[in-house]
Amino acid sequence: MTTLSGFDPAPEELTELLARARGLITEDRPRVDGGAELIGALRDARPGEHPRDLDAVVAELDAVLADGVDPTRPGELAYIPGSGLASAAVAELIAAVANRYTGLAGFAPAAVALEAGVLSWLTELFGLGPAAQAVLLSGGSTANLTALVAAREAHAAGAVERGVVYVGTHAHASVRKAARIAGFRPAHVRICPTSDGARLDPEAVRIAIKQDRADGLVPVAVVAAAGTTNAGAVDPLAALADVASDAGVWLHVDAAYGGFFALTDRGRARLAGIERADSITLDPHKSLFLPFGTGALLVRDRGALVRAFAEDADYLRDLEHDGPDGLDAVHGLPQLAELTPELTRAWRGLRLWLPLQLHGVGAFRAALDRALDLAGHAEQVLRAEADLEVVGYPDLSIVTFRVRGDDAAQDAVLARVNADGRVRLSSTVIDGRVTLRLAVLSHRTDRAVVELALELIVAAAREVAGLSGSRG
Ligand SMILES: *Cc1c(COP(=O)(O)O)cnc(C)c1O
């Protein structure tokens, strides 16, 4: 029986522990549905008083990891696939054990400076200008929430009950949730129509803002999507920027899924206008392939974050060294605790920094370019198939399509493709009809796995369309 000798393991114990961890993450384990027995045992288990045998603990973790959906597989084409880069996990290990405090620059200036470099890379990538600031948060939902709180303080401080937020019909659910948490009335989240079934109509937003002003309400923010989760559609960002600036309201762009395509030429062209946003949500745990728990918010004006989130705490007076505008007086580094809802925070910067150093930006650019290529290829193949229709057109790496037939036919195709087990698609509802989605994002998704998915889709579509044809 192997047990750890204490909280701070001896070097050889730590080596053993890391070797076991390595086995758990590199093993190519078959999917095994743990079943009700495993789930029940885990749910009913409680930690014991004494250390457990390492082998037994590792075996239990192995069973946990074999169960359920593995979002890191190459064949994951459902929802928004998540990669889980090992280099980011190593960064996480270092950050967690070193446990540097990065909420205020004075505690660990070099650690904050390292993060600040990556943050500036982000704001420069999106051309947000010299007063911009990025902050790393837990995900896209918290980034959207943080943005709406900043917008509220900028345009409706003390008057949130009259504040209005404008979103598209395909806006992510986290935007409505964020508006609700930020104190906006549910009735004041205007769901504005699309111009083509997928993209927010700028003129509809302009009219809604005008009407609300006439009614004595306070328009606060327009929320555009740069890559909807449903269909990967990019709202007309430049036209929405015109509407927002004419009306004097905040423009937030939710680019949680699509933002990092700005690293590619095609993505940059499709995201044109994003540089005029007041704030942008990004999800490095989606399109930068990092582990879950890594979101980012970029704002054009750091001061907006200071006004929304800065508080004084007497017990921090020894270390605050506040300079102007949310920066510390010594090095001009961001005082991250004064720019976000968090005080003590994970040193998330290292999670971005290390992979960018070890792989280079070019590797990310190439992987995202390949995702665009593969989605474009899938679109062509699906368009060429008589039993299938592509719904709308993909701006980025999500292709939506239907088989000839009713909603049940879509479900039947989905079930047949997913039953194969090697690839996984998902479905959504577009214009009231069940629609299938193929989303390419993982850096592990290659040409072969997309070809396999297309073969399975075409075979299933022929079969299902044939069946419904003979019925009709
Ligand atoms: C995933 C997603 C979100 C929510 O982000 P989380 O990281 O899941 O909290 C918000 N908006 C869009 C467009 C997304 O794709």
Side-chain angles (χ1 to χ4, degrees):
M1 167 149 152
T2 316
T3 56
L4 289 189
S5 58
F7 281 133
D8 297 315
E12 57 282 5
E13 279 183 316
L14 186 56
T15 302
E16 173 69 15
L17 198 54
L18 291 173
R20 301 302 188 99
R22 187 175 176 284
L24 282 172
I25 57 179
T26 53
E27 230 168 68
D28 203 7
R29 66 174 59 66
R31 298 286 92 202
V32 184
D33 181 357
E37 203 182 324
L38 173 72
I39 306 302
L42 289 164
R43 188 194 52 217
D44 296 339
R46 304 291 178 268
E49 187 66 19
H50 301 291
R52 266 177 84 196
D53 175 34
L54 186 57
D55 291 327
V57 173
V58 169
E60 192 164 295
L61 275 178
D62 196 61
V64 169
L65 293 179
D67 182 73
V69 170
D70 176 1
T72 69
R73 295 185 318 159
E76 267 306 297
L77 305 168
Y79 309 106
I80 308 267
S83 289
L85 277 189
S87 52
V90 171
E92 195 51 20
L93 176 71
I94 298 168
V97 180
N99 211 29
R100 294 298 185 263
Y101 179 83
T102 52
L104 295 169
F107 283 85
V112 175
L114 177 150
E115 180 158 337
V118 184
L119 298 177
S120 295
W121 173 70
L122 290 175
T123 56
E124 287 161 14
L125 177 63
F126 287 89
L128 288 185
Q133 179 67 54
V135 291
L136 299 175
L137 298 157
S138 61
S141 301
T142 43
N144 283 337
L145 172 59
T146 303
L148 285 187
V149 170
R152 180 194 73 198
E153 291 308 289
H155 290 287
V160 67
E161 68 286 350
R162 286 187 296 128
V164 186
V165 174
Y166 304 83
V167 308
T169 41
H170 293 297
H172 193 269
S174 65
V175 174
R176 297 190 297 277
K177 185 175 175 182
R180 191 151 48 90
I181 303 172
F184 293 94
R185 293 185 178 175
H188 289 174
V189 179
R190 294 263 176 276
I191 315 280
C192 298
T194 59
S195 49
D196 63 354
R199 293 162 192 82
L200 185 51
D201 178 2
E203 285 318 303
V205 176
R206 191 189 294 278
I207 292 165
I209 291 175
K210 202 168 162 208
Q211 184 62 51
D212 285 334
R213 279 239 163 86
D215 292 344
L217 296 176
V218 181
V220 169
V222 175
V223 180
T228 57
T229 312
N230 247 358
V234 179
D235 287 334
L237 301 177
L240 287 164
D242 287 340
V243 171
S245 75
D246 291 349
V249 305
W250 187 284
L251 175 64
H252 176 63
V253 178
D254 180 1
Y257 148 66
F260 282 105
F261 284 100
L263 287 170
T264 70
D265 289 340
R266 285 172 288 179
R268 182 167 280 280
R270 282 164 208 171
L271 296 171
I274 198 168
E275 69 284 352
R276 294 173 60 196
D278 292 295
S279 56
I280 302 171
T281 284
L282 300 174
D283 247 347
H285 68 204
K286 288 177 178 162
S287 40
L288 220 48
F289 320 128
L290 300 193
F292 292 154
T294 322
L297 177 69
L298 281 50
V299 293
R300 171 175 300 286
D301 170 20
R302 185 186 307 107
L305 292 178
V306 175
R307 288 186 283 282
F309 298 109
E311 278 293 340
D312 286 328
D314 293 338
Y315 59 86
L316 290 173
R317 58 189 294 277
D318 305 339
L319 271 151
E320 266 183 345
H321 306 306
D322 278 345
D325 197 28
L327 300 176
D328 89 304
V330 182
H331 299 286
L333 293 169
Q335 300 282 55
L336 295 168
E338 306 195 346
L339 302 171
T340 69
E342 296 180 311
L343 176 61
T344 304
R345 60 191 296 281
W347 181 21
R348 295 194 184 92
L350 194 58
R351 217 182 277 176
L352 271 79
W353 184 87
L354 190 64
L356 289 165
Q357 303 297 315
L358 295 180
H359 310 296
V361 175
F364 292 91
R365 195 188 318 284
L368 290 166
D369 251 327
R370 191 174 59 172
L372 293 174
D373 288 343
L374 292 174
H377 173 66
E379 181 196 3
Q380 274 183 356
V381 170
L382 296 173
R383 275 199 200 285
E385 184 62 30
D387 293 320
L388 289 164
E389 67 162 327
V390 171
V391 177
Y393 57 92
D395 281 321
L396 298 169
S397 68
I398 297 174
V399 187
T400 51
F401 60 96
R402 295 191 191 111
V403 60
R404 198 154 49 78
D406 55 9
D407 285 355
Q410 317 309 319
D411 289 334
V413 168
L414 184 65
R416 277 171 163 78
V417 172
N418 288 356
D420 176 82
R422 287 173 293 176
V423 302
R424 212 166 63 96
L425 307 179
S426 62
S427 69
T428 184
V429 176
I430 295 179
D431 294 332
R433 295 173 62 191
V434 174
T435 305
L436 303 179
R437 289 169 81 254
L438 183 149
V440 184
L441 196 59
S442 170
H443 69 282
R444 298 187 187 99
T445 298
D446 58 9
R447 177 89 181 199
V449 85
V450 170
E451 295 292 7
L452 171 65
L454 292 169
E455 275 168 35
L456 292 167
I457 292 166
V458 167
R462 286 180 186 164
E463 213 179 301
V464 168
L467 291 178
S468 63
S470 60
R471 248 192 277 132

